[in-house]
Amino acid sequence: MGKESIGQKWDAKHYDAQIGYVSKLGTGLIELLNPQAGERIIDLGCGTGDLAEQIRKRGVFCTGMDYSPEMIEAAQEKYPEGSFRVANAEEFRLQDGEEEYDAVFSNAALHWMKHPEGVIRSVGHALRPGGRFVAEFGGSGNVCAIVNALTRELAARGIDWQSRFPWYFPSVGQYTPLLEQGGFEVRYAELYDRPTPLGSGENGLNNWLQAFAGPLLKGTEPEMQQKIVENCASALRPTLYRNGEWVADYRRLRIVAVKK
Ligand code: BEZ
């Protein structure tokens, strides 16, 4: 996860219990990565390590990296055989003597990193020539209805949400030139809608906001937070609540790029 997530607290237990769909939905991206036995792969923004472990089980040496020490601690505890490290994706470099990697993989993490040039530079340094960067994250228009409802509530209370907006949701047209300028050849880029059931029935939206909207709600009194969440739920119910479940309007940017 990125360092710019001001006020964002990562609670590994809540993440696994309530937001476990993040890793489950990332499984398809592993197929696009197509890891081969013997390869060295970084999982950037690995959270509590579920996808890094799936990659490792394919006979890969996988290093899971995350900016949150709590997430890395939880990952190492869950998967003692795995290799995990706290790292800031926007500026990490390989350690002394560490071999370059064959691929960098990242699921649902890059939208927390507001300095994409720094991330791309770090990834470029970590890869061997011909190494691949395979990533999926929130793209332009991601969670648009939720963002609109939330920012409307914040603006109505005079809260300057722009300065604390924690996410980076680029379009294909914005992100692929950064990859090219960073020394990558873009082989694949797609922006697609992926409506995402939030689970937990009526509590799904509340859990999502609790897990992810901390930076936007930071500094507001608990009663005000509750009112904001209630008002968001009322505004969003007609479009995002279906058959007893909240379905978030996720839109993903998926890329495959190769280091020249
Ligand atoms: C996402 O996975 O698209 C996402 C998660 C949390 C906040 C914003 C977006």
Side-chain angles (χ1 to χ4, degrees):
M1 310 297 169
K3 73 168 176 179
E4 288 289 332
S5 41
I6 320 149
Q8 177 63 31
K9 296 260 184 290
W10 294 104
D11 176 340
K13 282 204 178 69
H14 178 77
Y15 189 87
D16 275 353
Q18 314 285 2
I19 315 289
Y21 53 83
V22 174
S23 305
K24 288 196 185 88
L25 290 166
T27 305
L29 192 65
I30 294 181
E31 298 320 312
L32 193 63
L33 172 69
N34 192 20
Q36 303 296 308
E39 282 192 321
R40 296 168 51 77
I41 297 179
I42 291 173
D43 178 358
L44 198 55
C46 65
T48 58
D50 295 348
L51 296 178
E53 176 64 7
Q54 284 187 37
I55 294 168
R56 191 188 71 80
K57 279 191 171 152
R58 306 256 191 128
V60 165
F61 174 77
C62 184
T63 301
M65 296 186 183
D66 203 285
Y67 189 61
S68 158
E70 291 78 17
M71 289 294 198
I72 288 297
E73 198 183 322
Q76 197 69 75
E77 212 166 276
K78 266 164 84 176
Y79 304 114
E81 289 177 51
S83 163
F84 296 97
R85 165 190 318 170
V86 176
N88 178 353
E90 293 173 349
E91 56 188 38
F92 81 91
R93 293 292 178 268
L94 298 185
Q95 295 171 339
D96 280 350
E98 189 174 10
E99 241 183 85
E100 288 175 334
Y101 284 77
D102 299 294
V104 173
F105 168 90
S106 183
N107 177 58
L110 300 187
H111 49 249
W112 291 102
M113 303 170 196
K114 297 188 78 176
H115 298 293
E117 293 93 345
V119 174
I120 290 167
R121 206 174 306 124
S122 300
V123 171
H125 277 289
L127 286 173
R128 64 167 171 78
R132 54 211 195 277
F133 182 25
V134 178
E136 181 171 297
F137 58 109
S140 76
N142 190 41
V143 289
C144 184
I146 298 178
V147 166
N148 286 344
L150 199 47
T151 54
R152 200 177 312 122
E153 289 298 318
L154 295 169
R157 289 166 176 80
I159 296 168
D160 166 26
W161 57 266
Q162 283 98 339
S163 65
R164 52 167 84 177
F165 193 77
W167 305 311
Y168 169 64
F169 297 143
S171 65
V172 170
Q174 288 165 329
Y175 200 69
T176 55
L178 299 184
L179 288 167
E180 289 181 349
Q181 285 151 23
F184 285 86
E185 182 177 61
V186 179
R187 297 281 177 89
Y188 176 86
E190 185 187 10
L191 182 70
Y192 70 100
D193 286 314
R194 196 201 62 199
T196 299
L198 298 182
S200 309
E202 180 63 45
N203 292 328
L205 181 66
N206 188 28
N207 286 344
W208 191 94
L209 291 168
Q210 200 189 319
F212 296 132
L216 286 168
L217 294 168
K218 198 176 109 191
T220 54
E221 295 298 322
E223 300 80 47
M224 188 189 277
Q225 278 195 20
Q226 198 182 334
K227 191 71 194 148
I228 291 173
V229 170
E230 278 170 21
N231 288 356
C232 284
S234 302
L236 294 169
R237 190 173 291 276
T239 45
L240 299 187
Y241 193 69
R242 293 170 216 153
N243 306 318
E245 186 161 54
W246 288 96
V247 180
D249 52 339
Y250 275 33
R251 183 176 289 165
R252 314 317 274 169
L253 179 59
R254 194 175 254 210
I255 58 106
V256 177
V258 172
K259 180 178 165 180
K260 287 193 199 158

